[in-house]
Amino acid sequence: MAQVVREVIGVGLLLGVSALPAAAQSMALPAADPVGIARSGAQVAYGYSLEAASLNPALLASLKEKGGFYLSAGLEMSATQQSLESNQGISPVTTVSSDRNRFLPAFGLAARLTPTLTLGLKLDTPFLRHSKLPDDAPTRYFGDSIDLSARRMEGQAAWALSPNLSVGFGVGVARLSYASSNVLQLNVPIDPTLPASSLNKVSGLVEQRVGESGNKVVPSYSLGLRWAINPRWTLGFTHQSGLKGDLPEKAGYRNASLGYFNTDGLSVALLGTSDNAAKLLLPANSQAVAGASTLELPSQTTLGVRHRIMPMMTWEADLRWTSASLQMPGLTAVQTPSGLVTAPTALPHGRSHLAFNASTELDLGKYWTLRAGLSLDQRSVEENRTEPLLGGARTAAFSFGAGYKLWGGELSLGYQYRQSEDQDTSRLNGVWSSSGFREAGTRLRLEGMGHLLALGYRMTF
């Protein structure tokens, strides 16, 4: 028993200490169910686990029972914070995002038809990102809100080629939903119905939020392999497809104008600017235009190894590769009589990167199961493209959870803490005058954190 206690303490210290130095919040979720969240997604080789089969369909063939299901409900919470160096005086000024919470459902089902064939069904959320910045956020011209989700449902099948080797696949669809907004400053000529010129000079600027939204159902698939080398060691492999679609986006103005300025973009607007701006924003004179409509989320390939140290304790380590195919739709623009006004930049594309996940599970007697995990993820966007909406810095997370057997099944709780690595940049703050946006070169610090929490119930039969 003393040896068991030492093993548990050692693993706990390793997970906790490893999670402290790194930080960041990833768009990809480790799982949507409490067991997967508690394991930080490290479960692609975890046989005898219906929840793990949501990541690796080949694991369906390893289930001990003929069938089962799980159902869970959770919450994803995240926030970002911006601190402009020039505002950090006696009374520091920071801006913190809102729109922080999202409902996180999950479902799984398995039924063995023959000794070698098992069918399954899963519902999960592989990607989720949301944030809304305040009206005065320094980075508002580069985008001030995002609401991205991918809800995926796949039918699954697994074949046991031998008692130790199985393969599986999943085929289904994912519903991609996307909405974003950004802030533009539009030139307001003396006559807003005509293009600006030497005879129709710009008398001021109006700051206006614009946005776009759309959704689409796209195909999805997954492949999996499980090889039990011996009763203690197991290898797992899985590939989850990327998700890509051209969204039919609708663009428009969001809320009323945010402010009016003189042509330098800073000083108080001249009299009459607000009236002329109202005319400029009429549908007959100006229209919001959606950006490029393509939304693409990356594929993920994972290799995992599981080791049962003793009958009551198991650990797993996974190595996950995420492709570079991350692309967001373009930001909204506005077509005015003087021409098209666009954002200073587009949201960044992704880069391929590796992640390391680890988990441990301890069975305490007949009723209780304890779980813990960690995740360390490389940067998913280039460092020189740092911005607050997508994040993309190095990722670290620490998770834990527990299961309790009752009513013929298991009630599970899972929690993961996620924190964003601090990022410093000098390219996101600037001044928008009548000649356009220009960088001010002031250093800005971006911070963030998040939480995943889920409660679920699994029953086998």
Side-chain angles (χ1 to χ4, degrees):
M1 185 64 184
Q3 176 65 25
V4 174
V5 173
R6 284 195 295 270
E7 292 280 359
V8 175
I9 294 175
V11 172
L13 289 175
L14 173 64
L15 295 179
V17 173
S18 298
L20 287 177
Q25 212 170 313
S26 173
M27 181 189 300
L29 300 186
D33 62 271
V35 175
I37 290 173
R39 294 172 179 163
S40 284
Q43 55 180 356
V44 300
Y46 223 104
Y48 316 130
S49 172
L50 178 57
E51 291 87 351
S54 64
L55 294 181
N56 184 356
L59 298 179
L60 290 170
S62 69
L63 299 178
K64 296 179 180 180
E65 299 82 7
K66 291 185 177 180
F69 73 91
Y70 71 83
L71 182 66
S72 77
L75 191 65
E76 190 271 347
M77 300 163 280
S78 61
T80 60
Q81 178 177 297
Q82 300 181 26
S83 303
L84 198 60
E85 187 176 46
S86 58
N87 289 338
Q88 305 310 300
I90 297 177
S91 300
V93 177
T94 59
T95 56
V96 182
S97 66
S98 57
D99 191 26
R100 302 177 182 179
N101 306 328
R102 287 294 182 274
F103 177 59
L104 195 64
F107 173 76
L109 175 68
R112 178 168 293 119
L113 300 186
T114 71
T116 59
L117 175 62
T118 305
L119 299 182
L121 180 69
K122 73 165 184 181
L123 170 69
D124 65 353
T125 304
F127 297 96
L128 197 62
R129 184 74 177 179
H130 51 94
S131 179
K132 188 177 187 305
L133 304 178
D135 292 346
D136 60 349
T139 64
R140 61 191 181 277
Y141 303 129
F142 293 80
D144 73 337
S145 76
I146 189 171
D147 188 356
L148 165 68
S149 67
R151 307 286 186 183
R152 179 175 59 188
M153 177 178 284
E154 288 184 358
Q156 300 173 303
W159 286 268
L161 305 180
S162 74
N164 297 334
L165 182 65
S166 62
V167 295
F169 74 91
V171 177
V173 295
R175 185 178 186 271
L176 303 180
S177 296
Y178 177 82
S180 69
S181 66
N182 54 288
V183 175
L184 301 174
Q185 286 201 357
L186 311 177
N187 289 347
V188 182
I190 296 174
D191 185 348
T193 64
L194 298 175
S197 66
S198 59
L199 299 178
N200 187 31
K201 293 184 177 182
V202 175
S203 61
L205 296 98
V206 56
E207 186 162 298
Q208 178 66 47
R209 177 179 288 112
V210 292
E212 59 194 26
S213 61
N215 58 77
K216 189 170 186 178
V217 176
V218 300
S220 169
Y221 72 88
S222 58
L223 306 172
L225 171 71
R226 174 184 179 267
W227 178 29
I229 302 173
N230 57 48
R232 289 184 177 270
W233 291 92
T234 303
L235 291 178
F237 168 85
T238 185
H239 173 78
Q240 299 183 35
S241 69
L243 306 173
K244 182 178 180 180
D246 291 330
L247 280 59
E249 293 183 309
K250 297 181 180 179
Y253 297 126
R254 299 291 187 260
N255 306 323
S257 300
L258 301 177
Y260 307 96
F261 304 91
N262 207 330
T263 55
D264 60 3
L266 297 171
S267 56
V268 178
L270 300 176
L271 291 177
T273 299
S274 59
D275 293 335
N276 287 338
K279 294 178 183 178
L280 175 69
L281 296 174
L282 290 175
N285 298 322
S286 301
Q287 301 84 34
V289 180
S293 62
T294 300
L295 171 62
E296 185 173 7
L297 301 175
S299 63
Q300 295 182 320
T301 303
T302 308
L303 179 65
V305 57
R306 179 199 64 87
H307 179 219
R308 185 174 295 278
I309 301 175
M310 57 191 70
M312 62 186 300
M313 186 174 185
T314 302
W315 65 266
E316 177 169 337
D318 292 353
L319 189 64
R320 184 182 70 241
W321 180 79
T322 301
S323 71
S325 54
L326 171 63
Q327 180 180 347
M328 296 291 109
L331 295 175
T332 311
V334 172
Q335 182 67 54
T336 72
S338 301
L340 186 67
V341 182
T342 61
T345 188
L347 293 177
H349 289 206
R351 63 186 288 255
S352 58
H353 59 282
L354 289 171
F356 172 76
N357 303 332
S359 68
T360 184
E361 187 165 292
L362 179 65
D363 293 325
L364 296 180
K366 185 178 180 180
Y367 295 101
W368 285 97
T369 301
L370 302 182
R371 304 178 178 99
L374 68 84
S375 174
L376 302 172
D377 206 337
Q378 291 180 329
R379 176 178 288 275
S380 60
V381 300
E382 297 295 341
E383 188 172 3
N384 61 358
R385 298 303 308 277
T386 293
E387 52 77 45
L389 293 189
L390 291 186
R394 290 179 299 166
T395 298
F398 173 74
S399 61
F400 62 88
Y404 182 75
K405 293 179 176 61
L406 78 168
W407 306 324
E410 182 180 85
L411 183 68
S412 296
L413 177 70
Y415 169 78
Q416 184 184 63
Y417 174 73
R418 319 165 82 203
Q419 185 179 5
S420 175
E421 179 184 44
D422 294 349
Q423 303 176 81
D424 291 331
T425 178
S426 299
R427 68 176 192 86
L428 294 179
N429 175 248
V431 178
W432 196 316
S433 66
S434 58
S435 59
F437 178 84
R438 69 178 187 275
E439 296 179 9
T442 306
R443 190 170 68 170
L444 178 74
R445 171 157 292 185
L446 303 176
E447 305 170 71
M449 63 179 296
H451 309 269
L452 283 177
L453 179 67
L455 179 67
Y457 182 73
R458 180 184 70 235
M459 177 174 284
T460 57
F461 43 83

